Amino acid sequence: MTDAWEVRDWRIRVADLYAEVRAEPDPEVAHRMWAHGRAALLRDHPATPVPAGARASFTPEVAPYDPALRFVVRVEAAEPERREVPTPTDGVVPFERVGRVDLPGLGGLDVWWLDSYGGGIFVPLKDAAPRTYGGGRYVVDTVKGADLGGTREALVVDLNFAYQPSCAYSSDWVCPLPGPGNTLTLPVDAGELHVPVDG
């Protein structure tokens, strides 16, 4: 069982990594930094979701950077909606839809607010690519520090930074997954690709 201090340290390191990414003006260089930092955390950190028996040999697979999949977009108004995600460890996790972003050539994604203590912006993604995790991935999750920057008028939504949630690595973790408003019918061969782990 991962203890609270290990999880705290994981979150600090993730937030620090994204701060370095935001400070780097070249998105492709920032993407390399991010991929390297994520790989180190997943392999070496005590709070990693990768099962203990698989950590020593684990190497995440990340697609090459594609500048066409970086968007800086306005968060448009959307019909209010509430999702309540039941989890065995955190109870019911509530989300409120606070807008929607349009990604030209791909479609739109709902933007959610985690409507509980501390709050945070959440943009998950599910797509049709056969090599991505079938449950979906996360692009923005500010409560966890995964934030590429921007504002409501110009939010950075870079699909090259889509990453697998913890439940992709182990059934010990339960994650809120994308609903219909965060599902794209086209494949997004970017970001972290699904690598099954044993352990």
Side-chain angles (χ1 to χ4, degrees):
M1 179 79 178
T2 305
D3 79 18
W5 294 104
E6 291 169 346
V7 173
R8 175 182 180 267
D9 186 69
W10 170 278
R11 291 191 180 170
I12 289 169
R13 290 172 187 265
V14 169
D16 288 349
L17 175 60
Y18 275 84
E20 291 174 15
V21 164
R22 288 191 301 272
E24 171 52 56
D26 184 331
E28 190 166 356
V29 172
H31 183 254
R32 285 197 298 270
M33 293 165 46
W34 171 80
H36 177 77
R38 281 272 304 167
L41 284 168
L42 288 167
R43 185 181 58 248
D44 302 327
H45 197 279
T48 177
V50 176
R55 292 175 192 170
S57 61
F58 181 73
T59 303
E61 186 174 353
V62 178
Y65 191 81
D66 181 351
L69 294 175
R70 177 182 172 84
F71 304 91
V72 181
V73 288
R74 179 178 173 79
V75 179
E76 302 290 350
E79 190 72 24
E81 181 181 329
R82 185 174 177 89
R83 285 183 67 204
E84 294 188 344
V85 181
T87 70
T89 53
D90 297 324
V92 174
V93 180
F95 292 93
E96 297 280 352
R97 183 165 58 186
V98 294
R100 189 162 171 83
V101 291
D102 179 54
L103 309 181
L106 288 176
L109 296 174
D110 288 338
V111 177
W112 298 90
W113 177 256
L114 174 62
D115 191 30
S116 61
Y117 181 78
I121 294 292
F122 181 54
V123 182
L125 163 71
K126 186 173 182 178
D127 68 278
R131 297 182 62 215
T132 60
Y133 176 57
R137 295 176 290 166
Y138 297 170
V139 181
V140 178
D141 187 2
T142 64
V143 76
K144 303 282 181 64
D147 182 2
L148 296 170
T151 64
R152 183 175 184 161
E153 287 69 38
L155 183 67
V156 179
V157 180
D158 191 332
L159 303 183
N160 294 284
F161 291 81
Y163 67 94
Q164 296 187 138
S166 298
C167 55
Y169 300 100
S170 169
S171 59
D172 291 347
W173 299 84
V174 177
C175 309
L177 297 175
N182 290 85
T183 301
L184 301 178
T185 58
L186 296 174
V188 178
D189 290 306
E192 287 183 353
L193 305 177
H194 187 51
V195 177
V197 293
D198 299 315

